[in-house]
């Protein structure tokens, strides 16, 4: 008889379990490898830039804080659960309801005992890891030798220690509160705490545990209340930031009293843990709650209502003054020079003679308008582009400083068309080529920019140097990643610059620098294939033993990664320094805890008609310094950080955290010094603050009689007017300096603002050209406070005058005949001739198809007088009695009119016949449009004929005048 053993029923189940475990392990390994690929490629990027210590410091700090946060939460909760469970009463009669609870909980008890601490610990760990910068700043904080006016404490305490202590106390409070709640829950569940028949019974172990936890919690609250005294100096009260009269005389003393009371109550809980009587701590807790209402809420209200409000200006004066002085110091405007300015509004011949150097430097080429013209003239191929708006810089040419408008010819990978393949995107189209520079104060006879550096290959004053490197591998529009480099002797594949119509003769090149991690081996190729989700990296024969991969190429991105503590200026700009195109990026250290300094929204302050409001990690700030100047080499991407403000305490602390990453200012070359400028965003923040804090008197501050605001852009009423760079001489300066300017009008009351000029702000932006040393006047703020006895029109009012002037409108109508439209440049305000001169370039472009803005006219205004001429020199002469005594940079230009084929333009003052003909053209145009709307085609045809005749007559007048 044959017997067969029965199959083991556990075998399929065991196989499924093994399979599930194997799949889970494989999935975990794959996930771990992806994480490793991301981390290791990030390390390679930092290591290639020699900033690996920045990344490892962040990793170590984050891991350390996570571990501290995890253990600091998980360990106390675990201990509390274990104590509450192990010290439970063994023989105790529980209610039937608790018996049912225990039956449900008991199977999950071990999981809960371990799971709850881990669950809360993970959350606490992530929260702590996110605050690593706060902890590291506290550990590396420095003193500032500046004391706060209330407690006499060094302001370094507020910048470094107070944020850490606040976070620490909040964390410990959360830990103790969770421990207290969990202990009470476990004690109740297992009978240590029994409630019934109007009686509360607590076992001795539970009593000790709960009382000690409650006492510790109240001790932490006592410390928190004590710290809150200092927090009042960075909290709003009345119209200021910081403790005003009520805060200093009621809130701060009240917090001190409550802190002491909380400590006393904590001691009573500790006593209860020993003697077992709850009456005293519970009564003291109730008293503490009542005291917090009376002392913390009631008393400050009484002081404010019955003492401060009836005598507000007198009582608050001292604290308003604290706020004024601290705000000015925190935003770097304390040393501003204020000059009363009585503006001239009348014009006379020769009035600008003393300002000839300023008028000759007026920038009539608007970086925000001429971009399409530059693109049409200098793009050469569809895969090139120029970022908008263009940038402003200055260069020394033939011994003279020249303000320039500059732009980098970068790649536009969306315009590859049929050539859009992985090979072309990654290995062929790898870099832009050349920097285009134009004179800011000049124009051609056709209204185009005067190029000082242009072309492919580049030619101009920059390429006179043999060491000039025009290639741009790292720019604001560079491809996501490129693979470059090859062994010696291999045929180049990268397009260097185009030649010929079809690109058959394009010049090729191979990258020779050290710009990215090397990916010559299979392992690194695999890592980057995973990072960029591109299997071609692993299998392409374009990747060789000498290949480098370039990514994270935007200058701001590179600086932000190697200096994560900086807030970066929104406008990096390219310059040529020692033959290399470099991007110059300004970095700021900021804080929101400077005592008695008013906070501003950084995003709102820097937003204007040329810059949308950005999204920032830290928006509300009350302290800012331009602490770092950074450069990014456009060829190899190397990043260099320079300590621009070596006295900034925040930078000093960060240099201790990231040692040897920031070079001293002494290592900056003279040529680099000549191109750095005052940061646009810092100036915007300062002008925002100065709208209120241009005053020094607490009485004027209290009365709010002299508040200012930045005017809106005359051409965009919903956005602020941007500041602008010019080489100009302020009234108290001996010679023109490269500076940045803005203006102020009265603060609006309601929806309407009064468009008259109240102030004119300038900051010296020229750092000089001496190696490692800033010019003494660099960063000097100058404010012209305009005498209110003289009404000087503001930008909006001047723009309205331009738009409503009939003589100007007549000439604009001629410019817009046919398929043309007018674009207005930036409206510049210049303090010359004893008053304020407004200059606005006017461009004409096609309304359809290719739009090429060409400068055709210049609008100028001084007081109530306006002029509208072909050149700035002509406009100034027309404005100032026929001879301004000074000329613009376009003095030698003889503009051509687009309708005359290059002949002489007509006289700027229209004749009587010309005026009549213009009026006839306007009437015919209006009648024709009305007939079209009414459907009267017969009248439409007749009026159209009249319009055509008037235009013909105008052209004949133009030609006749030109012939004379």
């Amino acid at each position: 008889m044959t017997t067969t053993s029965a199959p083991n029923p556990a075998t399929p189940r065991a196989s499924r379990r093994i399979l599930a475990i194997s799949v889970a392990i494989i999935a975990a390994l794959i996930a771990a490898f992806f994480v490793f690929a991301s981390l290791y490629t990030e390390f390679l990027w930092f290591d290639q830039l020699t900033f690996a210590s920045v990344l490892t410091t962040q990793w170590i700090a984050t891991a350390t804080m996570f571990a501290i946060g995890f253990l600091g939460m998980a360990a106390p909760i675990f201990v509390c659960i274990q104590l509450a469970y192990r010290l439970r009463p063994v023989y105790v009669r529980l209610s039937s309801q608790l018996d049912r609870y225990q039956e449900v909980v008991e199977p999950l008890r071990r999981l809960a005992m371990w799971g709850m601490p881990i669950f809360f610990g993970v959350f606490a760990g992530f929260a702590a890891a996110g605050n690593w910068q706060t902890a590291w700043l506290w550990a590396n904080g420095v003193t500032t030798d500046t004391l706060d006016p209330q407690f006499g404490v060094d302001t370094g305490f507020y910048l470094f220690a107070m944020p850490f202590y606040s976070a620490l106390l909040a964390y410990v409070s959360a830990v103790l509160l969770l421990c207290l709640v969990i202990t009470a829950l476990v004690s109740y569940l297992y009978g240590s705490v029994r409630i019934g028949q109007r009686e509360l019974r607590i076992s001795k172990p539970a009593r000790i545990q709960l009382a000690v936890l409650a006492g510790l919690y109240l001790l932490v609250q006592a410390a928190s209340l004590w710290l809150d005294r200092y927090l009042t100096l960075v909290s709003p009260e009345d119209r200021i930031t910081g403790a005003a009269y009520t805060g200093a005389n009621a809130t701060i003393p009240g917090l001190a009293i409550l802190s002491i009371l909380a400590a006393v109550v904590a001691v009573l809980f500790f006593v209860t843990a020993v003697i077992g009587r709850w009456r005293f701590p519970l009564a003291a807790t109730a008293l503490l709650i009542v005291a917090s209402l009376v002392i913390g809420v009631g008393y400050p209200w009484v002081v404010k209502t019955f003492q401060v409000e009836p005598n507000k200006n007198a009582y608050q004066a001292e604290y308003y003054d604290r706020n004024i002085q601290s705000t000015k110091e925190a935003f770097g405007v304390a040393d501003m020079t204020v000059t009363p300015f009585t503006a001239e509004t009348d014009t006379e011949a020769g009035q600008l003679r003393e300002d000839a150097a300023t008028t000759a430097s007026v920038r009539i080429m608007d970086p925000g308008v001429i971009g399409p013209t530059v693109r049409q003239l200098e793009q050469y191929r569809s895969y090139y582009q120029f970022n908008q708006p263009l940038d402003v810089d200055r260069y020394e040419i033939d011994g003279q400083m020249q303000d320039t408008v500059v732009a980098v010819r970068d790649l536009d990978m969306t315009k590859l068309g049929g050539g859009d393949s992985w090979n072309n995107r990654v290995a062929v189209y790898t870099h832009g080529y050349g920097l285009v520079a134009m004179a800011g104060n000049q124009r051609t006879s056709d209204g185009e920019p005067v190029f000082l550096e242009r072309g492919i290959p580049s030619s101009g004053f920059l390429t006179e140097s043999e060491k000039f490197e025009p290639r741009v591998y790292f720019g604001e529009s560079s491809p996501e990643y490129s693979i470059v480099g090859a062994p010696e002797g291999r045929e180049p594949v990268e397009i260097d610059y185009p030649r010929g119509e079809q690109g058959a003769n394009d010049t090729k090149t191979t990258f020779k620098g050290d710009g990215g991690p090397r990916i010559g081996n299979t392992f690194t190729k695999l890592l980057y294939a995973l990072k960029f989700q591109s299997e071609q990296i692993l299998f392409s024969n374009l990747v060789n033993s000498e290949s480098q991969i370039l990514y994270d190429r935007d200058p701001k991105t590179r600086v932000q990664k190697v200096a994560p503590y900086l807030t970066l200026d929104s406008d990096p700009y390219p310059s040529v320094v020692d033959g290399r195109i470099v991007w110059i990026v300004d970095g700021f250290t900021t804080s929101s805890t400077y005592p008695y300094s008013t906070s501003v929204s950084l995003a709102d302050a820097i937003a204007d008609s040329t810059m949308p409001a950005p999204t920032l990690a830290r928006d509300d700030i009350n302290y800012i310094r331009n602490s770092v100047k950074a450069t990014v080499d456009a060829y190899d991407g190397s990043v260099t950080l320079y300590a621009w403000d070596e006295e900034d305490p925040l930078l000093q602390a960060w240099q201790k955290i990231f040692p040897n990453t920031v070079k001293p200012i002494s290592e900056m070359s003279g040529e680099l010094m000549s191109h750095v400028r005052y940061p646009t965003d810092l100036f915007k923040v300062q002008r925002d603050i100065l709208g209120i804090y241009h005053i020094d008197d607490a009485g004027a501050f209290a009365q709010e009689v002299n508040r200012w605001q930045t005017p809106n852009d005359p051409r965009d009423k919903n956005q602020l007017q941007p500041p602008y760079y010019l080489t100009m001489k302020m009234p108290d300066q001996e010679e023109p300096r490269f500076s940045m300017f803005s203006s102020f009008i009265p603060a609006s009351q309601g929806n309407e603002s009064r468009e008259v000029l109240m102030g004119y702000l300038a900051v010296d932006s020229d750092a000089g050209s001496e190696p490692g040393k800033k010019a003494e006047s660099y960063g000097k703020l100058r404010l012209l406070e305009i005498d209110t006895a003289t009404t000087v029109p503001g930008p909006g009012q001047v723009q309205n005058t331009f738009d409503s002037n009939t003589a100007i409108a007549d000439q604009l109508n001629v410019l817009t005949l046919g398929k043309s439209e007018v674009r207005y440049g930036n409206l510049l305000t210049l303090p010359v001739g004893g008053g304020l001169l407004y200059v606005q370039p006017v461009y004409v472009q096609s309304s359809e198809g290719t739009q090429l803005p060409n400068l055709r006219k210049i609008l100028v205004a001084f007081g109530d007088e306006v002029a509208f001429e072909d050149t700035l020199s002509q406009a100034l002469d027309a404005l100032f009695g026929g001879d301004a005594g000074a000329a613009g940079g376009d003095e030698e230009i003889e503009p051509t009119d687009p309708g005359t084929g290059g002949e002489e333009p007509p006289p700027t003052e229209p004749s009587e016949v010309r005026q009549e003909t213009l009026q006839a053209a306007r009437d015919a145009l209006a009648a024709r449009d009305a007939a079209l709307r009414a459907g009267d085609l017969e009248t439409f045809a007749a009026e159209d004929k009249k319009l055509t005749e008037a235009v013909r007559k105008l052209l004949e007048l133009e030609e006749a005048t030109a012939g004379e």
Side-chain angles (χ1 to χ4, degrees):
M1 182 176 175
T2 304
T3 59
T4 303
S5 59
N8 186 355
T11 301
R13 186 179 303 170
S15 299
R16 287 195 296 271
R17 185 182 301 114
I18 293 171
L19 179 61
I21 293 173
S22 300
V23 170
I25 292 174
I26 292 172
L29 289 175
I30 293 174
F33 188 74
F34 271 94
V35 172
F36 168 77
S38 176
L39 295 177
Y40 187 62
T41 53
E42 191 75 350
F43 175 81
L44 291 176
W45 187 92
F46 277 86
D47 187 54
Q48 186 275 326
L49 280 175
T50 68
F51 281 92
S53 62
V54 173
L55 183 64
T56 54
T57 297
Q58 293 181 79
W59 283 353
I60 293 171
T62 302
T64 302
M65 290 301 296
F66 179 87
I68 293 173
F70 177 84
L71 293 175
M73 177 67 79
I77 291 178
F78 180 79
V79 170
C80 287
I81 292 175
Q82 291 294 325
L83 287 175
Y85 175 75
R86 294 181 181 278
L87 297 178
R88 71 192 185 282
V90 179
Y91 303 103
V92 63
R93 178 174 294 179
L94 302 177
S95 66
S96 58
Q97 188 175 10
L98 281 178
D99 282 336
R100 287 195 298 271
Y101 286 160
Q102 286 192 6
E103 289 177 3
V104 173
V105 171
E106 191 61 29
L108 303 173
R109 177 175 56 81
R110 289 194 176 185
L111 177 62
M113 284 184 170
W114 287 95
M116 288 179 66
I118 292 174
F119 175 79
F120 288 110
V122 167
F123 277 98
F126 281 118
N131 284 321
W132 74 266
Q133 292 189 350
T134 301
W136 257 243
L137 275 177
W138 164 73
N140 295 276
V142 299
T143 58
T144 64
D145 298 327
T146 301
L147 306 181
D148 82 76
Q150 178 64 33
F151 299 105
V153 174
D154 189 275
T155 55
F157 167 80
Y158 297 90
L159 295 174
F160 305 112
M162 189 177 70
F164 172 76
Y165 292 146
S166 295
L168 178 63
L169 289 172
Y171 173 81
V172 176
S173 293
V175 171
L176 291 172
L177 188 60
L178 277 172
C179 287
L180 187 61
V181 171
I182 291 172
T183 297
L185 181 64
V186 175
S187 297
Y188 175 72
L189 189 61
Y190 287 98
S192 297
V193 175
R194 300 192 301 279
I195 304 174
Q197 299 178 351
R198 298 183 180 179
E199 185 180 13
L200 174 65
R201 294 186 179 183
I202 303 176
S203 67
K204 182 178 179 180
R207 181 196 74 212
I208 294 173
Q209 188 172 346
L210 289 171
V212 169
L213 286 173
L216 290 174
Y217 179 78
L218 281 167
L219 272 183
V220 172
Q221 300 317 300
S224 182
L225 287 166
W226 190 263
L227 183 66
D228 285 346
R229 297 160 60 248
Y230 299 97
L231 287 171
T232 60
L233 270 60
V234 296
S235 302
E237 182 182 339
D238 190 25
R239 293 175 43 231
I240 65 172
T241 296
Y245 184 89
T246 302
N249 295 277
T251 304
I252 290 176
L255 289 170
I257 294 171
L258 290 175
S259 176
I260 295 171
L261 289 177
V264 171
V265 176
V267 172
L268 291 177
F269 272 103
F270 293 142
V271 171
T272 294
V274 177
I275 66 175
R277 300 193 176 210
W278 291 94
R279 182 180 305 169
F280 297 115
L282 292 178
T285 302
L287 179 62
L288 179 62
I289 294 173
V290 173
S292 66
L293 294 175
V294 174
I295 299 174
V297 178
Y299 180 57
W301 179 83
V302 170
V303 170
K304 178 181 179 181
T305 304
F306 298 104
Q307 192 171 0
V308 175
E309 289 297 334
N311 309 281
K312 189 170 185 178
N313 290 356
Y315 276 93
Q316 302 285 50
E318 175 186 353
Y319 305 97
Y320 287 166
D321 185 67
R322 291 180 179 182
N323 176 245
I324 292 170
Q325 303 309 321
S326 296
T327 300
K328 288 186 174 185
E329 180 62 34
F331 287 95
V333 299
D335 297 328
M336 180 179 67
T337 299
V338 180
T339 304
F341 187 67
T342 303
E344 294 286 342
T345 56
D346 297 327
T347 61
E348 61 181 27
Q351 194 165 340
L352 301 184
R353 188 164 288 111
E354 295 183 1
D355 298 296
T358 294
T359 60
S361 301
V362 174
R363 179 169 44 78
I364 56 177
M365 284 293 143
D366 187 343
V369 175
I370 64 172
T373 302
V374 176
R375 183 173 65 249
Q376 288 295 324
L377 297 177
E378 289 295 315
Q379 183 172 317
Y380 290 98
R381 291 289 189 272
S382 60
Y383 52 79
Y384 285 132
Q385 65 173 323
F386 296 94
N387 286 328
Q388 294 282 22
L390 310 184
D391 291 295
V392 176
D393 199 0
R394 72 267 188 216
Y395 289 89
E396 183 176 351
I397 303 175
D398 297 329
Q400 297 292 325
M401 293 303 296
Q402 171 72 58
D403 288 3
T404 58
V405 178
V406 297
V408 161
R409 189 182 291 105
D410 214 337
L411 289 175
D412 184 356
M413 303 301 284
T414 65
K415 301 294 177 57
L416 292 183
D420 189 5
S421 65
W422 182 87
N423 279 12
N424 286 340
R425 289 197 311 272
V426 172
V428 177
Y429 297 97
T430 59
H431 62 280
Y433 190 93
L435 180 138
V436 174
M438 297 144 279
N441 61 336
Q442 299 176 31
R443 49 163 287 183
T444 68
S445 59
D446 293 327
E448 295 177 353
V450 174
F451 288 94
L452 306 173
E453 179 74 29
R454 67 181 305 181
I456 292 182
S458 297
S459 63
F461 76 102
L462 294 174
T463 49
E464 293 174 357
S465 170
E466 294 181 358
K467 61 181 180 180
F468 178 64
E469 175 54 72
R471 297 167 185 86
V472 180
Y473 282 88
F474 295 83
E476 294 177 297
S477 301
S478 296
E480 180 186 14
Y481 68 95
S482 295
I483 297 176
V484 298
E488 196 72 33
R490 176 173 288 194
E491 190 72 20
V493 296
E494 301 175 51
I495 290 181
D496 195 18
Y497 55 85
R499 296 177 63 186
E501 291 298 324
Q502 303 299 323
N505 298 319
D506 287 345
T507 301
K508 303 292 183 67
T509 189
T510 298
F511 180 73
K512 301 295 184 182
D514 183 14
R518 298 187 178 274
I519 56 171
N521 59 66
T522 303
F523 180 66
T524 51
K525 285 192 285 188
L526 174 61
L527 294 181
Y528 280 101
L530 292 175
K531 178 179 177 65
F532 292 107
Q533 301 294 293
S534 177
E535 71 280 359
Q536 294 96 330
I537 295 177
L538 192 59
F539 301 112
S540 174
N541 59 9
L542 290 173
V543 184
N544 54 70
S545 60
E546 298 298 322
S547 288
Q548 303 173 44
I549 186 166
L550 315 180
Y551 60 98
D552 286 341
R553 299 160 76 174
D554 179 75
K556 284 184 65 176
T557 300
R558 295 179 79 79
V559 175
Q560 191 69 82
K561 290 181 71 171
V562 302
Y565 50 89
L566 293 177
T567 299
L568 301 183
D569 190 88
S570 54
D571 185 25
Y573 59 98
S575 289
V576 176
V577 177
D578 300 321
R580 310 277 286 201
I581 299 175
V582 298
W583 296 91
I584 300 177
V585 186
D586 285 286
F588 312 115
T589 46
T590 61
S591 177
S592 58
T593 57
Y594 194 90
Y596 273 108
S597 176
T598 293
S599 295
V600 299
S601 167
L602 186 57
D604 290 345
I606 66 179
D608 57 33
S609 60
T610 61
M611 175 60 61
T615 301
L616 301 169
R618 171 180 285 170
D619 188 18
D620 290 324
I621 63 168
N622 69 356
Y623 173 94
I624 186 170
R625 289 290 185 273
N626 178 207
S627 53
V628 171
K629 299 282 188 183
T631 63
V632 178
D633 191 293
Y635 183 74
D636 63 20
S638 56
V639 179
T640 309
L641 307 176
Y642 297 99
W644 188 250
D645 186 351
E646 296 178 311
E647 296 181 359
D648 174 39
L650 286 172
L651 179 61
Q652 292 174 8
W654 284 115
Q655 284 182 298
K656 293 169 66 176
I657 297 170
F658 299 118
N660 304 317
T661 57
V662 181
K663 295 183 177 181
I665 190 175
S666 59
E667 295 192 23
M668 294 182 71
S669 69
E671 191 165 350
L672 176 57
M673 294 291 292
S674 69
H675 288 285
V676 300
R677 66 190 191 191
Y678 201 79
T680 306
D681 287 354
L682 177 59
F683 185 71
K684 291 178 182 179
V685 170
Q686 290 174 328
R687 75 174 179 179
D688 184 83
I689 281 292
L690 288 171
I692 296 176
Y693 292 92
H694 60 275
I695 59 175
D696 291 314
D697 181 60
F701 180 87
Q703 296 165 15
E704 297 188 79
V705 295
N706 197 23
R707 296 186 65 176
W708 299 344
Q709 68 182 36
T710 303
N712 287 335
D713 191 311
R715 288 290 164 183
D716 187 350
K717 298 298 184 182
N718 297 318
Q719 297 291 339
L720 297 179
Q721 184 181 37
Y724 41 88
Y725 292 99
L726 289 173
T727 295
M728 191 168 66
K729 184 179 73 171
M730 288 287 283
D732 62 340
Q733 289 180 300
E734 295 181 357
E735 59 183 15
R737 301 280 294 181
F738 183 72
S739 305
M740 187 162 38
F741 305 91
S742 188
S743 56
F744 293 106
I745 61 174
S748 60
Q749 303 296 326
N751 295 327
E752 294 294 330
S753 59
R754 183 167 172 257
E755 281 283 348
V756 296
L757 218 56
M758 302 299 293
Y760 186 82
L761 181 66
V763 63
D764 193 322
S765 301
D766 188 351
S769 57
E770 186 175 346
K773 186 178 180 180
K774 285 184 278 188
E776 186 176 348
S777 61
Y778 172 86
K780 179 65 176 178
L781 287 161
R782 293 177 169 85
L783 176 67
L784 299 183
E785 192 165 6
I786 299 172
D787 189 350
T788 55
T790 304
T791 300
V792 179
Q797 193 176 133
V798 170
Q799 191 70 66
N800 181 70
T801 301
F802 287 157
D803 294 343
S804 60
N805 186 283
T806 56
I808 294 175
D810 289 339
Q811 297 186 63
L812 288 174
N813 285 337
V814 174
L815 292 176
T816 56
L817 290 176
K819 297 181 179 181
S820 297
E821 64 182 20
V822 169
R823 290 193 63 182
Y824 293 89
N826 41 21
L827 182 58
L828 307 176
T829 311
L830 296 82
V832 295
L836 280 303
L837 171 70
Y838 286 92
V839 178
Q840 184 174 46
V842 177
Y843 301 82
V844 177
Q845 67 181 24
S846 171
S847 58
E848 299 178 2
T850 301
Q851 295 183 321
L852 202 70
N854 287 335
L855 179 61
R856 293 300 179 192
K857 295 283 187 178
I858 301 290
L859 283 162
V860 293
F862 192 95
D864 295 328
E865 301 296 325
V866 298
F868 187 46
E869 303 295 336
D870 293 337
T871 68
L872 178 59
S873 298
Q874 293 173 1
L876 294 177
D877 286 340
L879 189 66
F880 290 95
D883 180 12
D890 57 355
E891 182 181 16
E892 299 179 359
I893 298 299
E894 296 181 0
T896 60
D897 186 88
T900 61
E903 299 178 4
E904 291 279 338
T908 56
E909 288 296 327
S911 66
E912 190 174 325
V913 176
R914 188 166 178 265
Q915 285 281 47
E916 292 174 357
T917 309
L918 281 171
Q919 185 61 45
R922 281 199 300 269
D923 294 342
L925 180 62
R928 187 191 69 165
D929 292 344
L932 181 62
R933 288 193 297 270
D936 186 352
L937 298 181
E938 184 178 351
T939 304
F940 174 81
E943 295 299 334
D944 186 64
K945 185 177 181 180
K946 291 180 183 179
L947 178 61
T948 302
E949 179 62 25
V951 172
R952 184 191 63 78
K953 190 172 182 179
L954 281 171
L955 293 175
E956 290 176 355
L957 288 171
E958 298 274 345
E959 293 172 358
T961 307
E964 296 176 0

